[in-house]
Amino acid sequence: MRFDVISLFPDLFRILAGQGVVGRALERGSAELHLWNPRDYTRDPHRTVDDRPYGGGPGMVMKMEPLQAAIEDAKRAAPDSEVAYVTPQGRTLVQDTLAEIAAKPGWILIAGRYEGIDERLVERYVDAEWSIGDYVVSGGELPAMVIMDAVMRLLPGTLGHKDSARQDSYVDGLLDFPHYTRPETVAGARVPQVLLSGDHQAIARWRLQQALGRTWLRRPELLERRGLSAEEKVLLNAFIQAHRDAE
Ligand code: 9WO
């Protein structure tokens, strides 16, 4: 998997690339990250990367020629990659979308600044527009990093691949169950007894029930979309009953 990122702030990506799951994916060669700075393609003494919007108004737009030259160079270096623009106007990504992204050989991600990029560049180069949620940040870099992190942790051989396999096996489409670690008692609050029982089947059932119950409480629309097996219905009904009794 190859990512080429077009950004005026390539240094922001060093933190992502230097540690954790992404750092290891890059180190192992499961993924590559290449950075292209439009400022390197300027020809004027001030190395100008912004320009005034036609039609007027406050704010600036990314200057056309340096951005286009950076896109062209990235496409030459990564001819098999598709181009994505990260923008609040894009398709909002969900977990299932990440597999589609991971299935392609690579992506050129355009991280915009200011008020965005010239629409003719979108029409000419951009294959996909992606949003990470309905809010605006000051540039596309953080959303691009969110997307690369979420995709890279799914790559075979990356840490996190194991836990995505776990998700596939029994809690896909559900919120996570609660986690506990030592000590057994914190200020009188005990770890649920079943987790200390050593009964792996009972633990798996309890975790599935917690995942179902939390999804029902917090994100009921996810359950609608996913549907429930007969066993899951029994577990959820018992959770709901216990929840009502506790109220
Ligand atoms: C800036 C702005 C200022 C005044 C009025 C409206 C405005 N919209 C924007 C704007 O959308 N700026 C973007 C900043 C330009 C493209 C890169 N930027 C960006 C991307 N902000 N937020 C994202 C983003 C990307 C993916 N998912 C969520 C947010």
Side-chain angles (χ1 to χ4, degrees):
M1 178 109 242
R2 171 176 179 137
F3 285 103
D4 291 76
V5 180
I6 297 173
S7 165
L8 290 172
F9 297 100
D11 286 349
L12 292 176
F13 294 86
R14 317 257 178 239
I15 291 170
L16 176 77
Q19 41 226 295
V21 167
V22 171
R24 280 191 295 275
L26 297 172
E27 221 168 77
R28 298 168 48 107
S30 313
E32 286 178 39
L33 175 61
H34 302 267
L35 296 162
W36 306 88
N37 188 346
R39 198 176 293 279
D40 295 336
Y41 295 86
T42 54
R43 298 153 154 277
D44 63 311
H46 290 107
R47 309 184 77 199
T48 310
V49 290
D50 60 350
D51 208 342
R52 288 151 53 226
Y54 277 120
M60 299 292 272
V61 175
M62 286 184 78
K63 189 173 170 58
M64 187 72 131
E65 293 85 349
L67 177 56
Q68 182 173 2
I71 296 171
E72 290 279 0
D73 251 10
K75 281 174 71 84
R76 263 190 292 278
D80 298 328
S81 294
E82 293 186 40
V83 178
Y85 180 43
V86 285
T87 165
Q89 279 79 49
R91 160 155 84 130
T92 305
L93 300 183
V94 297
Q95 190 66 32
D96 291 344
T97 329
L98 301 177
E100 293 171 32
I101 297 173
K104 299 281 165 106
W107 288 93
I108 297 166
L109 301 183
I110 303 174
R113 282 273 155 175
Y114 316 117
E115 316 297 290
I117 73 178
D118 189 296
E119 192 62 23
R120 291 165 296 179
L121 291 177
V122 177
E123 289 162 359
R124 173 143 175 211
Y125 293 106
V126 171
D127 302 302
E129 293 182 67
W130 295 335
S131 167
I132 62 165
D134 291 337
Y135 43 86
V136 177
V137 293
S138 52
E141 285 81 6
L142 288 170
M145 283 192 250
V146 167
I147 294 164
M148 288 191 288
D149 181 281
V151 170
M152 285 191 199
R153 63 185 288 287
L154 298 179
L155 299 177
T158 311
L159 264 183
H161 182 62
K162 248 187 296 166
D163 109 284
S164 77
R166 182 205 73 191
Q167 282 188 16
D168 291 341
S169 67
Y170 71 106
V171 285
D172 56 317
L174 299 177
L175 300 185
D176 205 2
F177 52 76
H179 302 271
Y180 297 88
T181 186
R182 294 184 298 174
E184 249 179 71
T185 307
V186 177
R190 296 192 42 80
V191 173
Q193 198 57 46
V194 63
L195 298 179
L196 309 174
S197 68
D199 181 342
H200 299 295
Q201 233 190 328
I203 291 168
R205 244 188 341 263
W206 180 85
R207 285 178 168 165
L208 174 57
Q209 183 176 49
Q210 291 294 312
L212 290 162
R214 296 209 317 179
T215 310
W216 173 75
L217 282 169
R218 300 178 192 191
R219 300 288 305 280
E221 79 280 9
L222 295 181
L223 288 185
E224 291 295 319
R225 207 178 129 195
R226 178 181 176 279
L228 296 177
S229 72
E231 191 209 353
E232 289 169 348
K233 280 181 188 157
V234 172
L235 287 170
L236 179 56
N237 284 334
F239 181 97
I240 292 170
Q241 199 49 251
H243 178 73
R244 300 227 157 102
D245 292 346
E247 268 186 343

